[in-house]
Amino acid sequence: MGGRNNKKRQHMPLPLELEKVTGKVTKAVYDQMKHDQVRDLKQKTAVLKQRAAAAGKSRPATTKPAAAAGKKRPATTKPAAPVESKKRKSVPQPESDEDEDDDEAAMISDDGPDGGWDNAPLESDSEMDDSELDISDSDDDRVTRQPLSLLSDNSDDSGEDNSDDNGGVESYDEFESDSDAEPAVTFRDMEKRSRKLDAQRAEDAEMADMELQAQDQALVSEREIFSLPSDEQVEAEKEAPLDLTQVQMRIQEIIRILNNFSELRDPSRSRNDYMDQLQRDMCFYYGYNEFLMEKLLQLFTVSEAVEFFEANEVARPVTIRTNTLKTRRRDLAQALINRGVNLDPIGKWTKVGLTIFDSPVPVGATPEYMAGHYMIQAASSFLPVMALAPQENEKVLDMSAAPGGKTTYCAALMKNTGMMVANDANKEREKALVANIHRLGITNAIVCNYDGREFPKVMGGFDRVLLDAPCSGTGVISKDASVKTNKGPEDFGMLTHLQKELILSAIDSANADSATGGFIVYSTCSVTVDEDEAVVNYALAKRPNVKLVDTGLDFGRPGFTSFRGQAFHHSLALTRRFYPHAHNMDGFFVAKFQKTSNKILVGDKQVVPAGSGAKLKQKKKKD
């Protein structure tokens, strides 16, 4: 601000030499020149009066003929004007010496140049004749007027534009420019400049369109050039495979063609040819066996399949579940933050989960973990318990409980009331189950070691049953990369058979007459249809006394009702699928049944699976 004020205090007019070059005359400079002319005229008039008074004492005064005749005398002198206009008003000469001051001041037109201040032409010094410089015919009384170029004493000898030092006077010209640059733009030229700018913009837009078209043509030409490798080339690549960069480029090219197959395809190639090549390339690039790659590619579009495989290459964030029997999530979060842990709530769908981004100490070695304030648990394993929604004072069964994350979550929701039966067929895994139950302070749990398929003969009549069935693990590949290669057709055949037996056992273990329950939840950490919808559809066919109900989970994708020619029950849309690339959690499947009756009809016999360890009762159907 100090610099701007100092410049305003310096009353330095715009250099007139610059004005001559640029053709600009500001109104402030014009007024200054008019003021100087009036001042000079007054000074000359005062000198003339003094001389006339001195001469009157020595000789008698003579009357001017023009004044005696009452006529106006013609102007004998032509006052110098800073700006010459095409039209000038006629200024009458004063009739007496007393009016000479006012009349001579009026000789300078109050109106600006007709063409405007910015377009007024300047007269050069060479064009000024003696009549414009002389105001008297007498040599003694001659007072010469300075030319316009000498009115400014502060012009810069270096020729630079000192527009900042013009005494705070702004030019009327909107576009300031140096004398070496293009000519100054006036108000008259603004429309022309606007048209030029519009034309330039239109030209730029046209060039941009041409560049986009060129890029599109280049892409089209690249796609036209691409062709699938021949059978000989495929065999040669088995011996000397391409590098990963080349394979990745070919995968992207095939995906582009498949997304616009009708226009970009090679007429001599079918869609299966492209899919087969894509499958081989993705097996090589991501490290899957061909059997599993084919199954996973069937679930998604080719573009989404790439997103799924890429998500499996990234580890899921570490998540923990607050043990509400000992603390609240807010208190737990504050305690961990005080230890330098960077965390955040998992999402709005859970009130007990926290995501751990960074921790200076191992999450499984903090005092809070040892005290049982939280359980390290994947966010996806919250979902089956939330769908089951166990209530207080209920009898709940977890058929595959180890290592105890879902079991302890159910016990926390039940507030250590009722009875929580935690079963697992693997006795070694039960060690971790027992340890977590003790650490988290669970007091209503019973741990047992039975084959789940025989469980209804051991104990039954449960209000709610949770079956997190053994599966291929295709939803947790980011945790166990060995799944990519060690799962084949035999494994899927064995697993699906076991899952079907377990789900029937879980249904038979539930009590349809329960006042609050009669619910069964089936879940897997797999995304294949063989282990999910196919098993659920089998259970609906084998146990007509159950039906699918809403899981209560407000996110996730609905299950398939038809898949590659297989038609499933329409109620399978109530099941939920979760994917790592879509929900940032392990792949998971959740289905919820409700048992409507304890009696089922098998052929001609009405079977009543007691589910309480009693023998099955059979009753002949009446004719």
mmCIF file of all heavy atoms in Angstrom, residues 163-188:
data_model
loop_
_atom_site.group_PDB
_atom_site.id
_atom_site.type_symbol
_atom_site.label_atom_id
_atom_site.label_comp_id
_atom_site.label_asym_id
_atom_site.label_seq_id
_atom_site.Cartn_x
_atom_site.Cartn_y
_atom_site.Cartn_z
ATOM 1 N N SER A 163 4.030 3.988 -17.167
ATOM 2 C CA SER A 163 2.604 4.162 -16.914
ATOM 3 C C SER A 163 2.286 4.067 -15.435
ATOM 4 O O SER A 163 1.263 4.559 -14.992
ATOM 5 C CB SER A 163 1.821 3.097 -17.680
ATOM 6 O OG SER A 163 2.248 1.800 -17.294
ATOM 7 N N ASP A 164 3.157 3.426 -14.645
ATOM 8 C CA ASP A 164 2.894 3.350 -13.216
ATOM 9 C C ASP A 164 3.171 4.673 -12.528
ATOM 10 O O ASP A 164 2.727 4.890 -11.403
ATOM 11 C CB ASP A 164 3.756 2.251 -12.587
ATOM 12 C CG ASP A 164 3.334 0.893 -13.079
ATOM 13 O OD1 ASP A 164 2.178 0.768 -13.527
ATOM 14 O OD2 ASP A 164 4.169 -0.026 -13.015
ATOM 15 N N ASP A 165 3.972 5.554 -13.173
ATOM 16 C CA ASP A 165 4.340 6.822 -12.542
ATOM 17 C C ASP A 165 3.625 7.994 -13.192
ATOM 18 O O ASP A 165 4.182 9.055 -13.399
ATOM 19 C CB ASP A 165 5.866 7.039 -12.647
ATOM 20 C CG ASP A 165 6.614 5.942 -11.938
ATOM 21 O OD1 ASP A 165 6.050 5.397 -10.980
ATOM 22 O OD2 ASP A 165 7.743 5.649 -12.350
ATOM 23 N N ASN A 166 2.367 7.839 -13.520
ATOM 24 C CA ASN A 166 1.625 8.900 -14.184
ATOM 25 C C ASN A 166 0.773 9.691 -13.220
ATOM 26 O O ASN A 166 -0.246 10.244 -13.594
ATOM 27 C CB ASN A 166 0.762 8.314 -15.298
ATOM 28 C CG ASN A 166 -0.247 7.329 -14.752
ATOM 29 O OD1 ASN A 166 -0.216 7.022 -13.567
ATOM 30 N ND2 ASN A 166 -1.124 6.845 -15.608
ATOM 31 N N GLY A 167 1.182 9.706 -11.972
ATOM 32 C CA GLY A 167 0.463 10.515 -11.000
ATOM 33 C C GLY A 167 -0.875 9.925 -10.613
ATOM 34 O O GLY A 167 -1.769 10.631 -10.162
ATOM 35 N N GLY A 168 -1.065 8.643 -10.734
ATOM 36 C CA GLY A 168 -2.318 8.014 -10.342
ATOM 37 C C GLY A 168 -3.393 8.140 -11.385
ATOM 38 O O GLY A 168 -4.533 7.756 -11.149
ATOM 39 N N VAL A 169 -3.082 8.698 -12.589
ATOM 40 C CA VAL A 169 -4.089 8.886 -13.633
ATOM 41 C C VAL A 169 -4.123 7.637 -14.487
ATOM 42 O O VAL A 169 -3.100 7.197 -15.002
ATOM 43 C CB VAL A 169 -3.757 10.112 -14.496
ATOM 44 C CG1 VAL A 169 -4.804 10.273 -15.602
ATOM 45 C CG2 VAL A 169 -3.694 11.351 -13.626
ATOM 46 N N GLU A 170 -5.301 7.009 -14.641
ATOM 47 C CA GLU A 170 -5.434 5.804 -15.432
ATOM 48 C C GLU A 170 -5.816 6.179 -16.855
ATOM 49 O O GLU A 170 -6.569 7.112 -17.095
ATOM 50 C CB GLU A 170 -6.492 4.883 -14.840
ATOM 51 C CG GLU A 170 -6.101 4.357 -13.466
ATOM 52 C CD GLU A 170 -7.128 3.375 -12.952
ATOM 53 O OE1 GLU A 170 -8.122 3.180 -13.665
ATOM 54 O OE2 GLU A 170 -6.924 2.833 -11.871
ATOM 55 N N SER A 171 -5.315 5.415 -17.793
ATOM 56 C CA SER A 171 -5.635 5.662 -19.185
ATOM 57 C C SER A 171 -7.039 5.205 -19.489
ATOM 58 O O SER A 171 -7.543 4.258 -18.885
ATOM 59 C CB SER A 171 -4.628 4.917 -20.073
ATOM 60 O OG SER A 171 -5.016 5.013 -21.416
ATOM 61 N N TYR A 172 -7.668 5.874 -20.457
ATOM 62 C CA TYR A 172 -8.993 5.458 -20.897
ATOM 63 C C TYR A 172 -8.927 4.205 -21.757
ATOM 64 O O TYR A 172 -9.942 3.626 -22.108
ATOM 65 C CB TYR A 172 -9.658 6.576 -21.692
ATOM 66 C CG TYR A 172 -10.347 7.595 -20.812
ATOM 67 C CD1 TYR A 172 -9.607 8.321 -19.887
ATOM 68 C CD2 TYR A 172 -11.704 7.815 -20.901
ATOM 69 C CE1 TYR A 172 -10.226 9.252 -19.079
ATOM 70 C CE2 TYR A 172 -12.335 8.753 -20.110
ATOM 71 C CZ TYR A 172 -11.585 9.473 -19.195
ATOM 72 O OH TYR A 172 -12.194 10.395 -18.410
ATOM 73 N N ASP A 173 -7.708 3.820 -22.143
ATOM 74 C CA ASP A 173 -7.555 2.652 -22.990
ATOM 75 C C ASP A 173 -7.653 1.393 -22.141
ATOM 76 O O ASP A 173 -6.961 1.247 -21.142
ATOM 77 C CB ASP A 173 -6.189 2.696 -23.687
ATOM 78 C CG ASP A 173 -6.136 1.762 -24.871
ATOM 79 O OD1 ASP A 173 -6.987 0.861 -24.922
ATOM 80 O OD2 ASP A 173 -5.256 1.951 -25.714
ATOM 81 N N GLU A 174 -8.504 0.443 -22.532
ATOM 82 C CA GLU A 174 -8.690 -0.775 -21.770
ATOM 83 C C GLU A 174 -7.529 -1.750 -21.919
ATOM 84 O O GLU A 174 -7.289 -2.572 -21.054
ATOM 85 C CB GLU A 174 -9.983 -1.486 -22.229
ATOM 86 C CG GLU A 174 -11.247 -0.735 -21.887
ATOM 87 C CD GLU A 174 -11.531 -0.753 -20.405
ATOM 88 O OE1 GLU A 174 -11.046 -1.656 -19.716
ATOM 89 O OE2 GLU A 174 -12.221 0.151 -19.925
ATOM 90 N N PHE A 175 -6.823 -1.684 -23.038
ATOM 91 C CA PHE A 175 -5.749 -2.623 -23.298
ATOM 92 C C PHE A 175 -4.427 -1.866 -23.331
ATOM 93 O O PHE A 175 -4.108 -1.209 -24.308
ATOM 94 C CB PHE A 175 -5.965 -3.335 -24.638
ATOM 95 C CG PHE A 175 -7.245 -4.094 -24.691
ATOM 96 C CD1 PHE A 175 -8.397 -3.498 -25.185
ATOM 97 C CD2 PHE A 175 -7.312 -5.384 -24.218
ATOM 98 C CE1 PHE A 175 -9.581 -4.195 -25.214
ATOM 99 C CE2 PHE A 175 -8.488 -6.092 -24.247
ATOM 100 C CZ PHE A 175 -9.626 -5.497 -24.740
ATOM 101 N N GLU A 176 -3.643 -1.949 -22.243
ATOM 102 C CA GLU A 176 -2.337 -1.319 -22.194
ATOM 103 C C GLU A 176 -1.328 -2.217 -22.895
ATOM 104 O O GLU A 176 -1.322 -3.430 -22.719
ATOM 105 C CB GLU A 176 -1.912 -1.100 -20.736
ATOM 106 C CG GLU A 176 -2.786 -0.111 -19.970
ATOM 107 C CD GLU A 176 -2.574 1.323 -20.407
ATOM 108 O OE1 GLU A 176 -1.537 1.587 -21.048
ATOM 109 O OE2 GLU A 176 -3.429 2.151 -20.127
ATOM 110 N N SER A 177 -0.455 -1.651 -23.650
ATOM 111 C CA SER A 177 0.563 -2.444 -24.331
ATOM 112 C C SER A 177 1.821 -1.601 -24.503
ATOM 113 O O SER A 177 1.770 -0.381 -24.522
ATOM 114 C CB SER A 177 0.050 -2.929 -25.694
ATOM 115 O OG SER A 177 -0.257 -1.823 -26.505
ATOM 116 N N ASP A 178 2.920 -2.303 -24.642
ATOM 117 C CA ASP A 178 4.186 -1.607 -24.862
ATOM 118 C C ASP A 178 4.254 -1.099 -26.296
ATOM 119 O O ASP A 178 3.592 -1.582 -27.210
ATOM 120 C CB ASP A 178 5.355 -2.559 -24.604
ATOM 121 C CG ASP A 178 5.373 -2.979 -23.150
ATOM 122 O OD1 ASP A 178 4.846 -2.225 -22.321
ATOM 123 O OD2 ASP A 178 5.905 -4.080 -22.883
ATOM 124 N N SER A 179 5.125 -0.112 -26.485
ATOM 125 C CA SER A 179 5.270 0.470 -27.818
ATOM 126 C C SER A 179 5.862 -0.527 -28.799
ATOM 127 O O SER A 179 5.604 -0.457 -29.993
ATOM 128 C CB SER A 179 6.146 1.720 -27.754
ATOM 129 O OG SER A 179 7.422 1.382 -27.223
ATOM 130 N N ASP A 180 6.655 -1.472 -28.294
ATOM 131 C CA ASP A 180 7.254 -2.450 -29.175
ATOM 132 C C ASP A 180 6.280 -3.550 -29.545
ATOM 133 O O ASP A 180 6.521 -4.298 -30.490
ATOM 134 C CB ASP A 180 8.500 -3.067 -28.517
ATOM 135 C CG ASP A 180 9.587 -2.012 -28.308
ATOM 136 O OD1 ASP A 180 9.566 -1.001 -29.045
ATOM 137 O OD2 ASP A 180 10.430 -2.218 -27.424
ATOM 138 N N ALA A 181 5.186 -3.706 -28.755
ATOM 139 C CA ALA A 181 4.222 -4.756 -29.033
ATOM 140 C C ALA A 181 3.212 -4.253 -30.042
ATOM 141 O O ALA A 181 3.412 -3.240 -30.695
ATOM 142 C CB ALA A 181 3.546 -5.186 -27.740
ATOM 143 N N GLU A 182 2.072 -4.979 -30.129
ATOM 144 C CA GLU A 182 1.054 -4.594 -31.095
ATOM 145 C C GLU A 182 0.451 -3.254 -30.717
ATOM 146 O O GLU A 182 0.505 -2.848 -29.567
ATOM 147 C CB GLU A 182 -0.016 -5.681 -31.149
ATOM 148 C CG GLU A 182 -0.716 -5.889 -29.822
ATOM 149 C CD GLU A 182 -1.723 -6.997 -29.892
ATOM 150 O OE1 GLU A 182 -1.696 -7.735 -30.892
ATOM 151 O OE2 GLU A 182 -2.529 -7.099 -28.959
ATOM 152 N N PRO A 183 -0.144 -2.515 -31.662
ATOM 153 C CA PRO A 183 -0.715 -1.203 -31.361
ATOM 154 C C PRO A 183 -1.782 -1.306 -30.286
ATOM 155 O O PRO A 183 -2.430 -2.326 -30.109
ATOM 156 C CB PRO A 183 -1.309 -0.773 -32.705
ATOM 157 C CG PRO A 183 -0.587 -1.582 -33.720
ATOM 158 C CD PRO A 183 -0.241 -2.863 -33.068
ATOM 159 N N ALA A 184 -1.955 -0.165 -29.548
ATOM 160 C CA ALA A 184 -2.929 -0.150 -28.469
ATOM 161 C C ALA A 184 -4.341 -0.323 -29.014
ATOM 162 O O ALA A 184 -4.676 0.143 -30.098
ATOM 163 C CB ALA A 184 -2.838 1.168 -27.702
ATOM 164 N N VAL A 185 -5.175 -1.023 -28.236
ATOM 165 C CA VAL A 185 -6.553 -1.272 -28.636
ATOM 166 C C VAL A 185 -7.440 -0.214 -28.009
ATOM 167 O O VAL A 185 -7.408 0.017 -26.810
ATOM 168 C CB VAL A 185 -6.996 -2.673 -28.185
ATOM 169 C CG1 VAL A 185 -8.432 -2.927 -28.613
ATOM 170 C CG2 VAL A 185 -6.071 -3.722 -28.769
ATOM 171 N N THR A 186 -8.233 0.445 -28.815
ATOM 172 C CA THR A 186 -9.153 1.472 -28.329
ATOM 173 C C THR A 186 -10.554 0.905 -28.269
ATOM 174 O O THR A 186 -10.808 -0.245 -28.619
ATOM 175 C CB THR A 186 -9.101 2.680 -29.256
ATOM 176 O OG1 THR A 186 -9.561 2.272 -30.547
ATOM 177 C CG2 THR A 186 -7.682 3.224 -29.367
ATOM 178 N N PHE A 187 -11.475 1.769 -27.804
ATOM 179 C CA PHE A 187 -12.861 1.334 -27.725
ATOM 180 C C PHE A 187 -13.408 0.976 -29.109
ATOM 181 O O PHE A 187 -14.234 0.094 -29.250
ATOM 182 C CB PHE A 187 -13.723 2.422 -27.088
ATOM 183 C CG PHE A 187 -13.538 2.520 -25.612
ATOM 184 C CD1 PHE A 187 -12.974 3.642 -25.037
ATOM 185 C CD2 PHE A 187 -13.903 1.476 -24.792
ATOM 186 C CE1 PHE A 187 -12.801 3.725 -23.678
ATOM 187 C CE2 PHE A 187 -13.737 1.550 -23.433
ATOM 188 C CZ PHE A 187 -13.185 2.675 -22.858
ATOM 189 N N ARG A 188 -12.953 1.693 -30.110
ATOM 190 C CA ARG A 188 -13.411 1.381 -31.462
ATOM 191 C C ARG A 188 -12.928 0.020 -31.934
ATOM 192 O O ARG A 188 -13.562 -0.644 -32.739
ATOM 193 C CB ARG A 188 -12.920 2.450 -32.439
ATOM 194 C CG ARG A 188 -13.584 3.811 -32.235
ATOM 195 C CD ARG A 188 -13.026 4.816 -33.228
ATOM 196 N NE ARG A 188 -13.670 6.105 -33.113
ATOM 197 C CZ ARG A 188 -13.333 7.174 -33.824
ATOM 198 N NH1 ARG A 188 -12.335 7.077 -34.695
ATOM 199 N NH2 ARG A 188 -13.973 8.325 -33.666
#
